[in-house]
Structures are given as structure tokens and as C-alpha cells.
Amino acid sequence: MATLGLIEYKDASPDVRAVYDDIMATRKTDWVNNFWKAIAHDPVTLKRTWESVKQIMGPGALDPLTKELIYIAVSTAAQCPYCVASHTASARRKGMTQDQFKELMAVIGMASETNKLVTGYQVEIDEQFKNIW
Amino acid sequence: MATLGLIEYKDASPDVRAVYDDIMATRKTDWVNNFWKAIAHDPVTLKRTWESVKQIMGPGALDPLTKELIYIAVSTAAQCPYCVASHTASARRKGMTQDQFKELMAVIGMASETNKLVTGYQVEIDEQFKNIW
Amino acid sequence: MATLGLIEYKDASPDVRAVYDDIMATRKTDWVNNFWKAIAHDPVTLKRTWESVKQIMGPGALDPLTKELIYIAVSTAAQCPYCVASHTASARRKGMTQDQFKELMAVIGMASETNKLVTGYQVEIDEQFKNIW
Amino acid sequence: MATLGLIEYKDASPDVRAVYDDIMATRKTDWVNNFWKAIAHDPVTLKRTWESVKQIMGPGALDPLTKELIYIAVSTAAQCPYCVASHTASARRKGMTQDQFKELMAVIGMASETNKLVTGYQVEIDEQFKNIW
Amino acid sequence: MATLGLIEYKDASPDVRAVYDDIMATRKTDWVNNFWKAIAHDPVTLKRTWESVKQIMGPGALDPLTKELIYIAVSTAAQCPYCVASHTASARRKGMTQDQFKELMAVIGMASETNKLVTGYQVEIDEQFKNIW
Amino acid sequence: MATLGLIEYKDASPDVRAVYDDIMATRKTDWVNNFWKAIAHDPVTLKRTWESVKQIMGPGALDPLTKELIYIAVSTAAQCPYCVASHTASARRKGMTQDQFKELMAVIGMASETNKLVTGYQVEIDEQFKNIW
């Protein structure tokens, strides 16, 4: 179980509730997942993390679904089961199809394989990759 | 330098050349990057890896640029400098803008931060994440 | 469950018991945690690991609590749930407060985020960082 | 070299300069390291990251040097050479002695070893570690 | 549970069954483990992955048991509990003794420790390691 | 360069020299690689690490070359360039052929790919893997 336990809405202080309310309003859901309830013991981290997530994951030069796919990729590469589960669910809510999920997995797997071949064969960076803009 | 050295086109066997030719034709370039030249010492791995990459990174349910962004995400999470450099260059060739690159970085950074908060706070997976399809 | 099972005190050989006794005496507890019982199948590894842990984690230029915080940081970065749980408990026994735990988590999260930004933006080491002593 | 290059002070926009100024003032130095110059291409990320770092790394329940040690631990565990170099230098400026550095390294190494033994021996979390507060 | 669920033999399409049949025939077993059932939702990935595994893990310049030990080492270093469990079982079927398992663990632990000491002490590669063939 | 610099034989204290002598005698070489010179600033860590390496990497239930292959696998998975270079050289000295090296790389790559597929597809451990001895 979570190190410090989970803070439920009914037990939350006003500043924590304000973040929970914003999470639910932003996501158009009526519940808050365990991650936020676990870090709510530190209201400063809760607020900073939520505001960063909200800012970063919103629409921009990349669409929100693409950002979720990237989040899953990082979480899978980092071997974080909770993060994989929660962001796969998020991507689903944002419209990820099963075919997209399967291709995402194939790319992650392929990248992980070539990452290690590169490291094991001690490959040096090509000059052509050094000034690309 | 690469553990077994790099095999240049002029020194390559016919089966290695065939892969190099296909890489250049597929990518519409006239050169082959060091990764392939380093693993060309093992023609079976070269061929299998290239065919997998070609199959996986082509168009499908996800577009090729999105796949490159995912590749960069995995390579960054895995701390592979060569892979970051080469796939950032690939994404650039496929049309990645600087704004897209910056948002990609922000998402990768954010995901890495929350990955560790999840692990450190020992957060358990919500029931709601367990049957999403 | 543990690959080779757990060796309980009553079933342990004299040399394994000697290590268990020293663990309990050093930690002023009356039980031994699963890690040691799992690796006790290899008495040489058990003894070497315990002696190294005992030597390294004792008082020195860094105090024992600081060392536990570092241990948690490494274990969190490495995504090892058992290690996070056991060393969070150890840190607690050595006096870690909830406020210290929360700051520890914030630092770990922050470091993980900037680690990836550095890698993704391909930042080169400043000359000023090369001769600091 | 950095993917988008480095933005020097003289070439920076006013909002980037404001961050650079705050970095130098906070750290009592007259230069800014490459990390900030590399991410300055994204002023939003620059500002958010610096403000988070400033907030998190300042004095609190843990002292600033301890926080640097934790930062080094995470960066070493994550295999980020730039981050190891820059935060070792930061820790040095904040008073880290060579003896503290050596003990830090010993703890990081030890933790990494036992992390893997835990995973490889498939050790389950002790009940005693589940409710520690 | 698995993101897309598991595809059992009786529910599988003919091409998936063909892979399952080959897995069982190759391994001389009458069951297929969850990994294959989980990725069978993507028959292309299933087939490509199985064919690669079959080709790579068979006899060659390294014997099949040595390859399983290497697989366990990578999976342990990558903190993948499923992979550790499944390949420890595979190694066992291929004749791994308990003494071999224990030595494998000791090497993995040792390597992980020195990996981090190298990174933390910022050790540069010796010239002698650069041209070894 | 190494954080604390390298301690050359001529500048070493008697206890450091004793370790250097044992390294050279054990390996039948006339030089010591940078790793040991970098950590020699901490003679206790130098001695403990060398004695552990010597004990673990010697002949036993696994032969010394197999142990080097495992060391390379861990170091590659952990993305440690120095460790990959040094242990590839060690394996070479102990008789690793190019064909063995290539198969090693293929196994490492394959394991890394399936590690991530397992994590991304959230595969649960089969009951059959839980009691294998």
C-alpha cells in the first residue's frame, strides 16, 4: 500500500480539494486516481505536479493522444507498472485504438532492442547527426 | 569506436550490401549510418533487425513521425545517446518541428518525474485501470 | 515467491545463523527480513553482502539516516519495489520524518526529470565541471 | 552538441535572461551551465524547471547538501553523465568533502547490488514493511 | 491483468495457433505461457517475436543454457519481474543448477555495483580497451 | 576525467599498491585499468570491491568466460559504456570469439525487446513459474 496512505476527498484539506476538483474538472471524471491521493500528503508537490501535468499534457504542437503514447513509452522503458496502467487507461479515454496500442508496443520493443545493440556494439555518433537544425 | 569496427559499403558482402541498398532506398538517402555498419559483422542480426525496423516504423495505425517520437522517448528514458541522436535526426527528416521536439522533451521529463514519485510513494494500481477494453 | 524459498532461522546452518544473529544484534530487532532469508541459500553471498552493508551503512562521514535516504533514492531510480519498501522502513526506524520523506521524493522526482531533459537535449558537460577538486 | 544549440546570455530574450539572472543570483555565480542554455529554447520549460529546482533544492526538512547527494544518487543510478558531473560540482560548492563523496559512492554501489539480488531472487515484501507510519 | 487479456488456444485464429503449436513443439511442452497469449492480439508481433526468439535462443556459438543466463541477467538489470520468473524457469528446464543460479546472481549484483561506481567516479575508457580485435 | 583523478602505481600508498599487485598477478597483466585507479582514493572500497570481484569472477559452477558474458549483459542493459568496453576486453582475453560476441548481442537485444513487451502488455506471472525447484 502507499507509503503514507491515500487521502480521500472527504478527508482532504481545502487546498488539496482544490487540486482534486481541478483534476476531475479537467478530465471530466468524478474520481481521482491513487497517484494524486498518495502524493497529497505533500500539498506543494501535489499542486506543482498537477499544474505541470496539466500544462504539459494539454493540446499544443502535439495532440493529447500522442502525448499519452509518449508517456506510456517512457513508463514502459522505465518499468513502472502503475504508470503503464494509468496512462494506458488515459490514452484509451483519449481515443487510442487497439491497433494504435499494438503498434506503440512494437515500436517500444524495437527501440529497446536497438538501444542495447548500439550500446553493446559501442557505436559512435555519426557526424551527420550532430547539426540537424 | 565500434567493438568490431564498421563495415563500409565497398567492403561489404553481397548480402550486407543488399540490406544497405534497401536502407538507402527506403530512406531515400545515399548513406548508411554507423549502427548498421557496426552490426553488419553479423549479417543475420543485420537483416532481421532492418526488416523488423522497416516493418514496424512504416505507416500503420500510427504515422511514421509519431513512431519516431516514441522511439526518441524510449531512447531518452533508456539513456542511449546514439539512439537519441539518430532518431532525433530521423524525426527531423520526417518533419518534426522544433515546437514538437520541445513538447516531446517536456512530456518525457514529466513522465520520468511521476514514474519515480509513483515508485517512491508505493502507489497501488487503481481497480479502474484494470479492465479498460 | 522467492526463487529458492526463504531459509528460516530454525532451519539455518550455523554460519547462516551467525549472520542472522549479527543482523538482529546490529539492528536491535528480533527478526530478519526476507532479503536475507532469500539469499541465505548462498552463504558466501549472504556473508559478503551483509558485511559490506554493515560496513558501508554505519556511521562515517555521512550519518546513517542520510545513507538510508541515498539508498531509497537509488532503489526508486532503479524501480525496485522491495528495496523501496525495506529502506523506507529502515529510514523510518532511523528517525526519518514525514517531511523529510516528502522532500526526498520531490528531489528524486526532480532529478529524474532533469536527467531526461539533459539526455534528450543532448547537453555537453561544461568545462567548469571537469576539475572540481 | 546540444540538439538545438545553446542560448548565450547576450542572445537571450528578456524572459530567458530573467531566469538566467535568477539562477546566477541564487547560486551566487556569474555563469550559467549548459543545461539551462540548452533548454532555454523552450522558455516555458526553462522557467518551470528552474522554479521547481529552486523550490525543491532549497533548505527545508533536508539540508541543501543532502539534497545534492540524493540528486547525485539518482543521476548515477540513471546513468546520466552530465547530471553526475554537474551535481557533483554543485555538492562540492555546497561543502561536500571527499570523504562524504566516497561514502556516497559506496552506498550507491551497495544499493545497486542489493537491488538486483532482490529482483533476481524474486524476494517478496515483508508484511512488516507495509504499515510503517 | 494483461492489457488486452490473454488469447487461449481454443479461441485463437489459425495463424496464432500455428505459432502456439510451434512454441510447444520447440519447447517440448503442452502449454504456452502468458507472454505469448498477451501479445497474440497482434499476430504480426507474435510471429516476428517468436521467430526471432527461436532463432536467437537456439544452439550456436553459445549453448542454450548460457543464453538463458544472459536473458536472466538482462531481465534482472532491467527490473522485469515477469521476465526474471519466466527465464529462470526456462534456465531450470535447460539444466541450470542451484549453484549456477547463485553464481549468476552474484555476478549480476557485482556488475551492478561496479557499473555505478564507474559512473559516479566518472571513469574514462582506457586506450587499451579501444582496439581489442 | 575521473572525479578525483587517477592514482598511478608510483603514487600509491602501500595498501593500494598491494591491491594493484594482486590485480596484475591475478590477471597476468602488467597494468591496472582506470576503474581501480579512480576508486583507489577510497582504499576500503578498492579492497572490498577487488576482493569481491576476484571471488565472484573466478572459476566455480560457471566458467570465467560465461561470467564475463553475464557482466557484459548487465553493463549493456544498464547503459554503462566504460563497463561494456572493459568487460568486452576481459571476455576477449578469456577467449570470447567474435561469433560468441555476436550471439551475446543478439540475446541482449532480444531480451530487452521482450522485457518491454511484457511490461507494456502488463503480463502476469504464470503459476507454473512460481515453484520451479
Side-chain angles (χ1 to χ4, degrees):
Chain A
M1 55 169 291
T3 310
L4 302 180
L6 303 175
I7 295 183
E8 299 298 336
Y9 190 89
K10 65 180 170 53
D11 305 316
S13 65
D15 53 337
V16 166
R17 279 193 186 184
V19 175
Y20 285 6
D21 286 335
D22 195 34
I23 291 172
M24 292 187 285
T26 302
R27 296 184 166 175
K28 302 186 194 346
T29 60
D30 62 354
W31 66 291
V32 170
N33 58 300
N34 289 345
F35 172 62
W36 306 106
K37 294 179 189 167
I39 68 170
H41 291 274
D42 182 353
V44 174
T45 290
L46 174 70
K47 188 174 162 62
R48 187 188 60 245
T49 305
W50 166 246
E51 288 181 353
S52 295
V53 165
K54 188 181 173 184
Q55 179 190 51
I56 290 169
M57 299 302 284
L62 298 174
D63 64 280
L65 176 53
T66 298
K67 290 180 177 182
E68 287 295 342
L69 302 180
I70 294 163
Y71 221 111
I72 294 170
V74 171
S75 303
T76 304
Q79 298 282 8
C80 177
Y82 182 90
C83 317
V84 170
S86 65
H87 286 277
T88 301
S90 295
R92 176 86 180 90
R93 279 200 309 274
K94 291 181 184 171
M96 178 175 67
T97 65
Q98 290 206 2
D99 281 347
Q100 288 175 322
F101 173 76
K102 293 169 194 171
E103 289 198 14
L104 169 65
M105 289 299 115
V107 176
I108 292 170
M110 192 72 232
S112 299
E113 180 170 12
T114 58
N115 280 188
K116 301 312 177 201
L117 291 175
V118 159
T119 304
Y121 275 94
Q122 304 185 69
V123 187
E124 286 183 344
I125 297 180
D126 301 72
E127 285 304 311
Q128 290 93 329
F129 293 152
K130 292 189 179 170
N131 278 293
I132 62 168
W133 257 299
Chain B
M1 56 170 290
T3 310
L4 301 180
L6 303 175
I7 295 184
E8 299 299 335
Y9 190 89
K10 65 181 171 54
D11 305 316
S13 64
D15 53 337
V16 166
R17 278 194 188 184
V19 175
Y20 285 6
D21 286 335
D22 195 33
I23 291 172
M24 291 187 285
T26 303
R27 296 183 168 177
K28 302 185 196 343
T29 60
D30 61 354
W31 66 291
V32 170
N33 58 300
N34 290 344
F35 172 63
W36 306 107
K37 294 179 190 169
I39 67 171
H41 291 273
D42 181 354
V44 174
T45 291
L46 174 70
K47 188 174 162 61
R48 187 188 60 244
T49 305
W50 166 244
E51 288 180 353
S52 296
V53 165
K54 188 180 172 183
Q55 179 191 52
I56 291 169
M57 298 303 284
L62 299 173
D63 64 280
L65 176 54
T66 297
K67 289 180 177 181
E68 286 295 341
L69 301 180
I70 293 163
Y71 220 111
I72 295 170
V74 172
S75 302
T76 304
Q79 298 283 7
C80 177
Y82 183 90
C83 317
V84 169
S86 65
H87 287 278
T88 301
S90 295
R92 176 85 181 92
R93 278 200 310 273
K94 292 180 184 172
M96 178 175 67
T97 65
Q98 291 207 2
D99 282 347
Q100 288 175 322
F101 174 75
K102 293 170 195 172
E103 290 198 12
L104 169 64
M105 289 299 115
V107 176
I108 293 170
M110 191 73 234
S112 299
E113 180 170 10
T114 58
N115 280 187
K116 301 313 175 199
L117 290 176
V118 159
T119 304
Y121 275 95
Q122 303 185 70
V123 188
E124 286 184 344
I125 297 181
D126 301 72
E127 286 304 312
Q128 291 93 329
F129 293 151
K130 292 188 179 170
N131 278 294
I132 62 168
W133 255 299
Chain C
M1 55 169 292
T3 310
L4 301 180
L6 303 175
I7 295 183
E8 300 298 335
Y9 190 89
K10 64 181 173 51
D11 306 315
S13 64
D15 52 338
V16 167
R17 279 194 185 183
V19 175
Y20 285 6
D21 285 336
D22 194 33
I23 290 172
M24 292 187 284
T26 303
R27 296 184 167 175
K28 302 185 194 344
T29 59
D30 61 355
W31 67 291
V32 170
N33 57 301
N34 289 345
F35 172 62
W36 305 107
K37 294 179 189 167
I39 67 171
H41 292 272
D42 182 354
V44 174
T45 290
L46 174 70
K47 187 173 161 64
R48 187 188 60 245
T49 305
W50 166 245
E51 288 181 353
S52 296
V53 165
K54 187 180 174 185
Q55 177 190 52
I56 290 169
M57 299 302 285
L62 299 173
D63 64 281
L65 175 54
T66 297
K67 290 180 177 180
E68 287 294 343
L69 301 181
I70 293 164
Y71 220 112
I72 295 170
V74 171
S75 302
T76 305
Q79 299 284 7
C80 177
Y82 183 90
C83 316
V84 169
S86 66
H87 286 278
T88 301
S90 294
R92 176 86 181 91
R93 279 200 310 274
K94 291 180 183 171
M96 178 175 66
T97 66
Q98 290 207 3
D99 281 347
Q100 289 174 323
F101 173 75
K102 293 171 195 172
E103 289 199 13
L104 170 64
M105 289 298 116
V107 176
I108 292 171
M110 192 72 233
S112 298
E113 181 171 12
T114 59
N115 280 188
K116 301 313 177 200
L117 291 176
V118 159
T119 303
Y121 274 95
Q122 303 185 70
V123 188
E124 286 182 344
I125 297 180
D126 301 72
E127 286 304 311
Q128 290 93 329
F129 294 151
K130 293 188 179 171
N131 278 292
I132 62 169
W133 256 299
Chain D
M1 55 170 292
T3 309
L4 302 180
L6 302 175
I7 294 183
E8 298 298 335
Y9 189 89
K10 65 180 170 56
D11 305 316
S13 65
D15 53 336
V16 167
R17 278 194 187 183
V19 175
Y20 285 6
D21 285 335
D22 194 34
I23 291 172
M24 292 187 285
T26 302
R27 295 182 168 177
K28 301 186 195 344
T29 60
D30 61 355
W31 67 290
V32 170
N33 58 300
N34 289 344
F35 172 62
W36 305 107
K37 294 179 190 169
I39 68 171
H41 291 273
D42 182 354
V44 174
T45 291
L46 174 70
K47 188 174 162 62
R48 187 187 61 244
T49 305
W50 166 245
E51 288 181 352
S52 296
V53 165
K54 188 181 173 183
Q55 179 190 51
I56 290 168
M57 298 303 284
L62 298 173
D63 63 281
L65 176 53
T66 297
K67 290 180 177 181
E68 287 296 341
L69 301 180
I70 294 163
Y71 220 110
I72 294 170
V74 171
S75 302
T76 304
Q79 298 283 8
C80 178
Y82 182 90
C83 317
V84 169
S86 65
H87 286 278
T88 302
S90 294
R92 176 85 181 90
R93 279 200 309 274
K94 292 180 183 171
M96 178 175 67
T97 65
Q98 290 207 2
D99 281 348
Q100 288 175 322
F101 173 76
K102 292 170 196 172
E103 290 197 12
L104 169 64
M105 289 299 115
V107 175
I108 293 171
M110 192 72 233
S112 298
E113 180 170 12
T114 59
N115 280 188
K116 302 313 175 199
L117 291 175
V118 159
T119 304
Y121 275 95
Q122 304 185 70
V123 187
E124 286 183 343
I125 297 180
D126 301 71
E127 286 304 311
Q128 291 93 329
F129 293 151
K130 292 188 180 170
N131 278 293
I132 62 169
W133 256 301
Chain E
M1 55 169 293
T3 310
L4 302 180
L6 302 175
I7 294 183
E8 299 298 335
Y9 190 88
K10 65 180 171 52
D11 305 316
S13 65
D15 53 336
V16 167
R17 278 193 186 184
V19 175
Y20 286 5
D21 286 336
D22 195 33
I23 291 172
M24 292 187 285
T26 303
R27 296 184 168 175
K28 301 185 195 344
T29 60
D30 61 355
W31 67 291
V32 170
N33 58 301
N34 290 345
F35 172 62
W36 306 106
K37 294 180 189 167
I39 68 171
H41 291 273
D42 182 354
V44 175
T45 291
L46 174 70
K47 188 174 161 63
R48 187 187 62 243
T49 305
W50 166 245
E51 288 181 353
S52 297
V53 165
K54 188 180 173 183
Q55 179 190 50
I56 290 168
M57 299 302 285
L62 298 173
D63 64 279
L65 176 54
T66 298
K67 290 181 178 182
E68 287 294 342
L69 302 180
I70 293 163
Y71 221 112
I72 294 170
V74 172
S75 303
T76 304
Q79 298 283 7
C80 178
Y82 183 89
C83 317
V84 170
S86 65
H87 286 278
T88 301
S90 294
R92 176 84 180 91
R93 278 199 311 274
K94 292 180 183 171
M96 178 175 67
T97 65
Q98 290 207 2
D99 281 347
Q100 288 175 322
F101 173 75
K102 292 171 195 172
E103 290 198 13
L104 170 64
M105 290 297 116
V107 176
I108 292 171
M110 193 72 233
S112 298
E113 180 170 12
T114 58
N115 279 189
K116 301 314 176 200
L117 291 175
V118 158
T119 303
Y121 275 95
Q122 304 186 70
V123 187
E124 286 183 344
I125 297 180
D126 301 71
E127 285 305 311
Q128 290 93 329
F129 293 152
K130 293 187 180 171
N131 277 292
I132 62 168
W133 257 300
Chain F
M1 56 171 290
T3 309
L4 301 179
L6 303 175
I7 295 182
E8 299 298 335
Y9 190 88
K10 65 181 172 52
D11 306 315
S13 65
D15 52 337
V16 167
R17 279 194 186 183
V19 175
Y20 286 5
D21 286 336
D22 194 33
I23 291 172
M24 292 187 285
T26 303
R27 296 182 167 177
K28 301 186 196 343
T29 60
D30 62 355
W31 66 290
V32 170
N33 58 300
N34 289 345
F35 172 63
W36 305 107
K37 294 179 189 168
I39 67 171
H41 291 273
D42 183 353
V44 174
T45 291
L46 174 69
K47 188 174 161 63
R48 187 188 59 244
T49 305
W50 166 246
E51 288 180 352
S52 296
V53 165
K54 187 180 173 183
Q55 178 190 52
I56 290 168
M57 299 302 285
L62 299 173
D63 64 280
L65 175 55
T66 297
K67 290 180 176 181
E68 287 295 341
L69 301 181
I70 294 163
Y71 220 111
I72 295 170
V74 171
S75 302
T76 304
Q79 299 283 7
C80 178
Y82 183 90
C83 317
V84 170
S86 64
H87 286 277
T88 301
S90 294
R92 177 85 181 92
R93 278 201 310 275
K94 291 179 183 171
M96 178 175 66
T97 66
Q98 290 207 3
D99 282 347
Q100 289 175 321
F101 173 75
K102 292 171 196 172
E103 290 198 13
L104 169 64
M105 289 298 115
V107 176
I108 292 171
M110 192 72 234
S112 298
E113 180 170 11
T114 58
N115 280 188
K116 301 314 176 198
L117 291 175
V118 159
T119 304
Y121 275 95
Q122 303 185 70
V123 187
E124 286 183 343
I125 297 179
D126 301 71
E127 286 304 311
Q128 290 92 330
F129 294 151
K130 293 188 179 170
N131 278 293
I132 62 169
W133 255 300

